[in-house]
Amino acid sequence: MNWITNYVRPRINSIFSRRETPENLWQKCDECGTMLFHRELADNLNVCTACGHHMAITPRARFAALFDGGIFTEVKVPEPKADPLQFRDQKKYPERMKAAQKSTGEKEAMLVATGEIGRTPIVAAAQDFSFMGGSMGMYVGNAIIAAAQEAVKLKRPLILFSAAGGARMQEGILSLMQMPRTTVAVEMVKEAGLPYIVVLTHPTTGGVTASYAMLGDVQIAEPNALICFAGPRVIEQTIREKLPEGFQRAEYLLDHGMLDRVTKRTQMRDELISITRMLLGLSPAVKGELPAPPPAEPQAPEAPAAETQPARPKA
Amino acid sequence: MTQYLDFEKPLAEIEGKAEELRALARRNEEMDVDDEAKALDAKAAKMLQDLYRGLTPWRKCQVARHPDRPHCRDYIEALFNEYTPLAGDRNFADDHAVMGGLARFNDRPVMVIGHEKGNDTKSRIERNFGMARPEGYRKAVRLMDMAHRFGLPVITLVDTPGAYPGKGAEERGQSEAIARATGMCLKIGVPLVSVVIGEGGSGGAVAFATANRVAMLEHSIYSVISPEGCASILWKDAEKMREAAEALRLTAQDLKKLGVIDRIIPEPTGGAHRDRKKTISAVGAAIDGMLQDLKGLKPRQLITDRRQKFLDMGQKGLAA
């Protein structure tokens, strides 16, 4: 050991270790400001243990908590043509994509999976607001179509968790065309006589609300989620008056007849199990946390792209 | 009197000069200004042609929004007989931003539905500048459903800045209304053809234009967001609408290349408002052509055709 290792290494180490600790262990609630221990928060599905505020949750963490034993199989989504318009604003679209992929570790803004909830086989899709605002472009459209096709093929209900700022402007008119495309997908599920349940999470706005997110047989929202077509700022600019308290929030929509229910995230799973089983005419389910379903009966190997994912640590 | 757009200023000057000369000559009989005025006319005609040959996307937006552009009502009056407006959503109100009803197109009974912007201050306010509320979309759903049950083709004329962003509109379920209208477009077993005659503004346009065949007038636009809105979000500066209009690819020409629309209806030199009659009859011919395309298709085929068209969309890219 010489003076360099003695002197330099500890300093380098201290720089790295300093960065590790404080950020990850505690998270501040955006609403009440309480410092929450990360593990406790994750166990409570990112719902503040102090005030009940629902913070964002990644699709993977949501699925890990939703599916029996945290086991789900990802459904492959057909890859659309990348950057079809060669769009650039202050940044190039592919650069924005790369940045989003890096920060989320996901390929795009929607995750589709199959699995069981309370031993009820379902197909689920969840939108990722942290990926470019969850915006709906061709990939998200393809994901919803893939989810619908999977549901029809397997004769399973489709449960969709929405979260998006709206259409992805960087795909221009092609993002707008996802409104009719996803509506076709919803129609396919409905025509097959299968339940389509939408869980609206904070925020769900714009073209997403005006297509698949408002067409569920049952419409459930998480508490205080912002759900609208035009955002409150746009409306205030148009009508030049202050909007009422709670305007466009889940409870307000429930009052105005736009939703069936507002349900806490921690109770969502049981409720979804209950509703899907009743709609499918099945017997009541065993509730509570269930272990992973037994491995599927031996059959033809799944499509090579689908892979079984064990539950990951909750993000 | 022609209303000139900002980029037409040099043209306005020349046409103004020609007009002045003629006025002078009318007062003063000895003066012979014929040749001079004619030369100015020719110059103006040339300039108009040049201006409109290579309109930038932003200029197209301006032309698409021109106040003198023929609107839905003008098309209905000129192209349809026995137009019988049908009103109301049977729920809350009748939305005047959306007009529609039974009519005959080339003697054939049809259902015609469209956004109407209005053409003077009073009618613009009454029509809410073509921005529909949920009632408008629900009226359209009702009419489309009726058309479906009686086997009438549906013709929609799209001309809206977008769905109305208002308090009541939100409370009464603007997004749900749009989603249901798009859904109804996809469900009806009758031919559905659509023409974007001015502005195809976002979800408010999709709710009517999810059709078997979609045509656009040469200088109309169809976009996920207005260039101003896009500029203020992505450039953080609403004044960057020229750049945004460019990036969004919202012109009829771009949309045709992307396979989003089926045909482009040429406009007279200088835009639809400079020869309304000619524009209207060109739109009539296009509607007729699109209906002919769908002739003989059974209800189920029409539905499948429409769905497949949208499912396939986006497979084609746009060369730079």
Side-chain angles (χ1 to χ4, degrees):
Chain A
M1 223 179 257
N2 59 28
W3 68 273
I4 293 185
T5 39
N6 271 342
Y7 180 71
V8 176
R9 212 178 257 154
R11 290 202 97 185
I12 291 175
N13 281 345
S14 73
I15 288 168
F16 281 110
S17 54
R18 220 186 293 153
R19 218 191 278 162
E20 288 289 321
T21 28
E23 281 183 331
N24 294 340
L25 287 181
W26 295 89
Q27 199 180 325
K28 198 169 161 181
C29 170
D30 327 319
E31 197 65 32
C32 68
T34 310
M35 292 303 281
L36 302 158
F37 189 56
H38 75 111
R39 208 167 292 155
E40 214 176 309
L41 185 61
D43 284 347
N44 206 35
L45 304 177
N46 285 11
V47 177
C48 174
T49 46
C51 71
H53 173 60
H54 283 56
M55 289 179 238
I57 183 168
T58 65
R60 259 175 223 286
R62 190 186 284 279
F63 283 177
L66 176 73
F67 287 105
D68 296 348
I71 298 290
F72 57 91
T73 307
E74 255 183 85
V75 173
K76 189 176 159 53
V77 175
E79 212 55 63
K81 198 174 159 73
D83 193 15
L85 307 187
Q86 278 140 10
F87 192 98
R88 77 174 302 168
D89 44 271
Q90 289 166 310
K91 255 191 198 168
K92 282 185 181 160
Y93 177 34
E95 283 169 27
R96 285 188 193 267
M97 277 291 281
K98 261 184 218 142
Q101 283 167 341
K102 209 173 154 208
S103 72
T104 59
E106 294 291 347
K107 194 159 59 174
E108 252 281 4
M110 187 167 266
L111 189 65
V112 183
T114 58
E116 295 188 0
I117 57 168
R119 294 286 184 267
T120 322
I122 63 155
V123 177
Q127 214 157 356
D128 191 349
F129 189 73
S130 61
F131 194 105
M132 290 187 79
S135 55
M136 168 176 69
M138 292 202 290
Y139 185 92
V140 169
N142 284 357
I144 293 169
I145 292 168
Q149 285 170 339
E150 196 73 5
V152 172
K153 190 177 92 191
L154 302 172
K155 298 195 176 64
R156 293 181 182 194
L158 174 60
I159 299 178
L160 186 137
F161 299 84
S162 69
R168 188 170 294 168
M169 280 175 285
Q170 289 87 347
E171 292 183 17
I173 190 77
L174 293 173
S175 67
L176 190 66
M177 289 302 118
Q178 304 315 309
M179 290 176 64
R181 287 185 90 221
T182 56
T183 308
V184 174
V186 172
E187 283 296 311
M188 297 192 295
V189 177
K190 289 191 174 173
E191 271 181 10
L194 298 163
Y196 170 53
I197 297 169
V198 181
V199 179
L200 298 117
T201 77
H202 179 77
T204 300
T205 70
V208 168
T209 329
S211 55
Y212 58 89
M214 269 292 167
L215 293 172
D217 293 307
V218 182
Q219 296 277 131
I220 310 173
E222 287 188 344
N224 203 35
L226 177 75
I227 302 160
C228 60
F229 180 65
R233 243 181 315 159
V234 177
I235 296 174
E236 279 185 346
Q237 279 166 11
T238 317
I239 61 171
R240 291 174 205 286
E241 59 181 274
K242 264 293 206 220
L243 292 166
E245 178 75 19
F247 183 67
Q248 297 181 323
R249 296 290 170 165
E251 295 74 10
Y252 196 90
L253 266 81
L254 184 70
D255 265 358
H256 284 81
M258 291 300 141
L259 298 173
D260 292 293
R261 307 183 52 78
V262 175
T263 303
K264 290 186 183 126
R265 192 179 290 158
T266 44
Q267 289 158 12
M268 192 69 79
R269 179 172 180 273
D270 283 349
E271 188 161 315
L272 290 171
I273 293 171
S274 212
I275 291 172
T276 46
R277 291 189 74 88
M278 285 194 273
L279 287 175
L280 293 169
L282 299 172
S283 57
V286 187
K287 291 199 180 168
E289 283 217 19
L290 287 175
E297 61 274 21
Q299 46 173 221
E302 288 256 353
E307 54 183 279
T308 303
Q309 291 250 345
R312 280 202 192 170
K314 290 161 194 177
Chain B
M1 216 188 88
T2 325
Q3 291 200 45
Y4 292 96
L5 296 164
D6 61 7
F7 67 88
E8 295 175 333
K9 233 184 201 158
L11 180 75
E13 275 168 24
I14 297 173
E15 288 190 343
K17 244 183 236 163
E19 194 47 48
E20 255 172 52
L21 268 180
R22 291 208 170 93
L24 216 65
R26 275 196 290 276
R27 261 177 275 145
N28 198 335
E29 281 180 13
E30 284 108 79
M31 259 177 91
D32 182 22
V33 295
D34 235 32
D35 287 350
E36 244 178 291
K38 267 189 189 144
L40 282 174
D41 284 348
K43 200 174 159 195
K46 172 86 174 46
M47 183 176 275
L48 187 68
Q49 209 163 34
D50 289 346
L51 273 177
Y52 274 77
R53 192 176 294 139
L55 282 184
T56 61
W58 172 245
R59 287 182 176 179
K60 276 184 188 277
C61 296
Q62 293 175 286
V63 177
R65 295 168 180 171
H66 197 289
D68 294 337
R69 203 172 167 82
H71 289 157
C72 181
R73 218 181 60 157
D74 305 313
Y75 288 99
I76 292 181
E77 271 173 16
L79 295 173
F80 297 81
N81 293 321
E82 288 181 52
Y83 172 58
T84 311
L86 300 174
D89 69 342
R90 301 296 182 271
N91 247 317
F92 183 76
D94 182 40
D95 186 342
H96 301 299
V98 173
M99 57 189 296
L102 291 163
R104 285 184 187 274
F105 181 75
N106 293 342
D107 291 336
R108 185 182 182 186
V110 297
M111 190 69 82
V112 58
I113 305 167
H115 304 96
E116 172 55 46
K117 285 181 166 177
N119 51 9
D120 53 28
T121 310
K122 190 170 160 253
S123 64
R124 276 184 203 121
I125 291 170
E126 193 195 322
R127 304 283 187 183
N128 200 28
F129 302 87
M131 293 184 285
R133 298 181 166 92
E135 298 75 60
Y137 299 109
R138 291 184 180 131
K139 171 162 78 178
V141 166
R142 194 172 72 78
L143 300 189
M144 283 193 256
D145 181 49
M146 193 192 302
H148 167 72
R149 284 186 292 116
F150 294 99
L152 308 177
V154 178
I155 296 159
T156 60
L157 300 169
V158 176
D159 193 10
T160 179
Y164 183 61
K167 181 170 165 279
E170 290 285 323
E171 286 173 342
R172 297 192 299 277
Q174 185 72 292
S175 27
E176 193 259 1
I178 293 173
R180 297 264 172 229
T182 313
M184 186 51 85
C185 283
L186 288 161
K187 248 185 280 207
I188 54 178
V190 290
L192 171 53
V193 301
S194 183
V195 183
V196 182
I197 53 175
E199 276 185 281
S202 194
V206 169
F208 286 11
T210 304
N212 292 95
R213 296 288 183 276
V214 181
M216 277 177 83
L217 273 174
E218 188 182 348
H219 304 310
S220 60
I221 56 164
Y222 189 4
S223 178
V224 64
I225 186 170
S226 71
E228 294 93 331
C230 179
S232 76
I233 297 172
L234 289 181
W235 277 263
K236 317 259 180 261
D237 178 3
E239 290 299 306
K240 295 272 192 247
M241 65 264 184
R242 285 173 191 80
E243 286 87 338
E246 198 88 39
L248 281 168
R249 312 279 190 153
L250 41 63
T251 68
Q253 293 69 29
D254 283 336
L255 268 61
K256 178 80 172 43
K257 270 190 231 164
L258 284 166
V260 171
I261 62 159
D262 303 290
R263 43 168 103 196
I264 298 174
I265 308 169
E267 290 186 29
T269 310
H273 57 285
R274 283 203 165 78
D275 192 342
R276 295 162 61 101
K277 222 171 154 185
K278 201 168 155 193
T279 307
I280 291 171
S281 72
V283 167
I287 293 173
D288 189 45
M290 293 192 287
L291 287 174
Q292 293 297 332
D293 284 352
L294 302 168
K295 218 173 173 179
L297 291 182
K298 298 206 166 62
R300 195 63 234 175
Q301 290 173 311
L302 287 163
I303 294 168
T304 314
D305 169 87
R306 213 174 296 133
R307 288 186 178 185
Q308 206 53 46
K309 169 187 170 145
F310 285 94
L311 286 179
D312 292 344
M313 213 167 265
Q315 309 306 323
K316 241 160 82 177
L318 186 78

